[in-house]
Amino acid sequence: MKRALVLVALLAACRGSKAPPEQNKTAQGSGSAQGSGSQAKDPWQNVDAGPKVAETPEQRKARAEKALARVDAIQPKLAKLRGLPFEHPVPTAYQTTDDFRAFLHREIAKEMPPEKSAKVSAAWLHIGLLQKPIDLATAFEQTMTTQAAAYYDPAAKKFFMVMVPDSDTLLDTMSAHELTHGLQDQNFDLTKYMAAKPPLDDDAQVARQFIVEGDATFAMFLYMAADATKSDAAQAMMIKVLRGQIEQFAKMDLAAYGEMMKQQASAFENMDADLKKSMDSIGELPPVVVGPLLDSYMKGALVVLTAYDKGGWKAVDDFYKHSPESSEQVLHPTTKLFPKREHPKKVTLPKLDGEVLTDNVMGEILWNIYFSLWLPDQAQQASEGWGGDRYTVVKRADGSLLGYLATIWDTPKDAKEFADAYEASFAKRFPSKDRKHVVKLDGQKVFILDGDDDAKLFEKLIKGTKFS
């Protein structure tokens, strides 16, 4: 799904980062990250904290406007750290949570109107990407709402602040993240990048999301470190120190993200009650919706750090001209993206009878999520070694759904591991064995018919699928 907004996640990006030295005497150097075994106090706890009293909308707006007034001072520092110029200052505005929710609802409705939402929801439920019926448009909206501290809108070319935490440090960090999106937009045209023509498949879209959010997260970390040390002269040292922190955060799973999101909500003493409820319930959102978005921040930052190691900001900037093509590449940047890209295979399915509900590419990231739902102990092994795929779900004349899936893997061993894991996952999905299906392993290829075992249909899938 194309992202209409570029949002900042209130996740581990701020939590676990060092406060200035006078606030954290145990730092391994000013602005550095704690090791995984550190028991240091959360540096965001009570940083710049104001009185814990209910504030009026006017007071909240006044605090937001005070934070936005500091943007003019943040922009030149950020531009120097990121190695990109601002063509002009990024316009800013405070937006109430009600206005933001209304805006987000309109944007989601454009990308996923009710009919499309119903079709894709039914298709994803059929092939096991969902464990229970949901409305995907609602789930996407709720997911984006949980990330709504602030956002940059490429259409309006404007940075909006929505939540106003009781911390100037956190406010400026949020601003640095979103202003980086402004830099990206002014230099590389985010709308064009995220809505490339011909239209991107979902997996390629995820890869680009990793670059956009990873770049902003990495730049935000640098800004935080430079602000904590009151210097940007030691950027190489800061990056070295931040590496461990980024790598640690990139390993977090959805459960850890969800718990951290709940803790982050405490930074907002006067948060809108509905938004707080949304942040607290992030762990209840379907992983297929929330997983790729959350991964794009920290795992994306690791991709950008890898590129920076190879060629500095020039190598990062090159992503906007020659984008990664798959989630596999961005999930394994040191082997699938560098030193040489491992390009995905294009898989084309034959023309199928019935109403097409959805037709797209799963990619390694969605296969990993699929197996995490049904066979968590084997999720990584079963999804790695991905080489390409395509899936289509059709609604037949009798109203039944049928899924066609064709995949190709790096080696016959990878293909067999996937096929065996898929069969085991299918048994978990349908313990009563009341769903027909067929799985065929053919060297590096695996074909799946989900919802029927008709030999002619399966033969059509196998003979008609093209790999290139």
Side-chain angles (χ1 to χ4, degrees):
M1 176 184 176
K2 184 177 71 176
R3 304 295 181 194
L5 301 174
V6 187
L7 306 174
V8 60
L10 292 174
L11 304 171
C14 299
R15 192 171 180 80
S17 305
K18 289 265 189 226
E22 66 270 20
Q23 293 173 313
N24 194 336
K25 301 295 185 180
T26 61
Q28 300 171 7
S30 298
S32 68
Q34 288 286 353
S36 58
S38 172
Q39 299 299 314
K41 183 179 179 181
D42 181 351
W44 291 113
Q45 182 93 19
N46 295 324
V47 174
D48 303 326
K52 296 182 179 181
V53 295
E55 66 180 348
T56 65
E58 291 75 18
Q59 289 172 323
R60 185 181 299 114
K61 181 180 180 181
R63 288 199 300 110
E65 290 177 344
K66 184 178 178 181
L68 292 174
R70 295 195 295 272
V71 163
D72 286 345
I74 294 172
Q75 289 188 93
K77 298 175 184 177
L78 180 67
K80 183 176 181 181
L81 286 166
R82 176 54 184 84
L84 283 176
F86 278 104
E87 295 178 357
H88 53 78
V90 176
T92 65
Y94 168 65
Q95 189 172 63
T96 67
T97 52
D98 286 342
D99 286 343
F100 171 73
R101 276 192 291 260
F103 168 70
L104 183 58
H105 183 78
R106 292 193 301 269
E107 294 300 308
I108 295 293
K110 291 177 186 176
E111 295 298 325
M112 187 165 278
E115 183 180 2
K116 180 179 179 181
S117 179
K119 288 181 177 181
V120 179
S121 300
W124 282 8
L125 179 66
H126 180 79
I127 61 175
L129 281 173
L130 295 171
Q131 291 182 308
K132 61 183 180 181
I134 65 165
D135 176 65
L136 275 175
T138 300
F140 274 115
E141 186 173 331
Q142 187 176 2
T143 298
M144 302 294 259
T145 299
T146 67
Q147 311 302 299
Y151 69 96
Y152 176 80
D153 181 7
K157 310 294 183 185
K158 199 169 187 177
F159 160 38
F160 293 91
M161 182 170 289
V162 180
M163 296 186 196
V164 192
D166 293 326
S167 164
D168 287 349
T169 307
L170 184 49
L171 283 164
D172 290 351
T173 299
M174 288 161 45
S175 295
H177 185 109
E178 299 311 322
L179 290 170
T180 303
H181 291 316
L183 271 175
Q184 295 165 342
D185 195 25
Q186 291 183 17
N187 286 272
F188 309 118
D189 191 343
L190 281 183
T191 300
K192 183 178 179 180
Y193 183 69
M194 295 303 294
K197 296 183 185 297
L200 299 169
D201 61 60
D202 281 357
D203 195 50
Q205 192 79 41
V206 166
R208 294 194 179 207
Q209 189 76 16
F210 267 59
I211 300 307
V212 172
E213 291 301 347
D215 184 3
T217 300
F218 183 47
M220 177 189 71
F221 268 104
L222 283 178
Y223 179 83
M224 290 166 60
D227 187 60
T229 59
K230 306 303 178 187
S231 170
D232 59 4
Q235 184 164 314
M237 181 188 72
M238 289 190 291
I239 291 173
K240 182 177 180 181
V241 171
L242 290 172
R243 178 185 305 279
Q245 185 178 40
I246 293 172
E247 290 175 345
Q248 181 182 346
F249 288 147
K251 294 176 182 177
M252 294 178 67
D253 59 19
L254 288 180
Y257 274 129
E259 182 58 31
M260 189 159 286
M261 181 67 80
K262 290 181 181 180
Q263 295 178 25
Q264 272 300 299
S266 65
F268 297 84
E269 300 294 347
N270 293 287
M271 181 188 293
D272 176 89
D274 288 340
L275 286 178
K276 185 178 188 305
K277 183 178 179 181
S278 293
M279 292 178 71
D280 287 344
S281 65
I282 192 170
E284 300 170 16
L285 294 170
V288 69
V289 173
V290 71
L293 179 61
L294 296 185
D295 281 347
S296 70
Y297 292 98
M298 290 306 170
K299 289 183 172 65
L302 193 56
V303 176
V304 171
L305 175 58
T306 302
Y308 186 89
D309 283 344
K310 302 296 182 181
W313 288 119
K314 183 178 180 181
V316 177
D317 294 346
D318 189 62
F319 281 143
Y320 296 93
K321 297 178 182 178
H322 307 98
S323 178
E325 307 148 278
S326 69
S327 61
E328 180 192 49
Q329 290 177 343
V330 293
L331 288 171
H332 307 280
T334 60
T335 56
K336 304 295 185 177
L337 197 55
F338 295 101
K340 182 180 179 180
R341 292 193 181 191
E342 185 171 302
H343 300 288
K345 299 287 186 182
K346 181 180 179 181
V347 182
T348 305
L349 299 179
K351 183 175 176 57
L352 304 168
D353 296 331
E355 178 191 3
V356 175
L357 300 187
T358 190
D359 173 78
N360 225 299
V361 175
M362 298 263 283
E364 180 178 333
I365 195 166
L366 289 196
W367 278 119
N368 184 280
I369 288 172
Y370 168 85
F371 285 114
S372 295
L373 292 174
W374 304 108
L375 214 65
D377 291 343
Q378 298 181 42
Q380 182 172 343
Q381 182 181 28
S383 58
E384 288 187 354
W386 178 90
D389 75 63
R390 194 84 197 181
Y391 74 97
T392 298
V393 179
V394 300
K395 184 177 182 180
R396 298 189 281 187
D398 63 0
S400 63
L401 303 189
L402 183 59
Y404 295 84
L405 302 94
T407 67
I408 186 167
W409 300 83
D410 291 345
T411 67
K413 180 177 179 292
D414 292 322
K416 187 176 187 312
E417 288 174 348
F418 168 79
D420 290 346
Y422 185 85
E423 285 282 23
S425 73
F426 207 88
K428 287 286 187 68
R429 288 168 58 195
F430 304 101
S432 60
K433 300 181 180 180
D434 58 349
R435 169 77 75 86
K436 295 178 180 179
H437 77 291
V438 190
V439 178
K440 179 178 175 59
L441 173 64
D442 180 14
Q444 292 173 242
K445 304 168 185 175
V446 181
F447 299 91
I448 300 168
L449 194 62
D450 182 353
D452 207 331
D453 57 3
D454 184 274
K456 290 184 178 179
L457 289 175
F458 200 50
E459 182 180 13
K460 181 179 181 180
L461 171 66
I462 294 172
K463 290 186 175 181
T465 299
K466 301 183 185 302
F467 299 86
S468 58

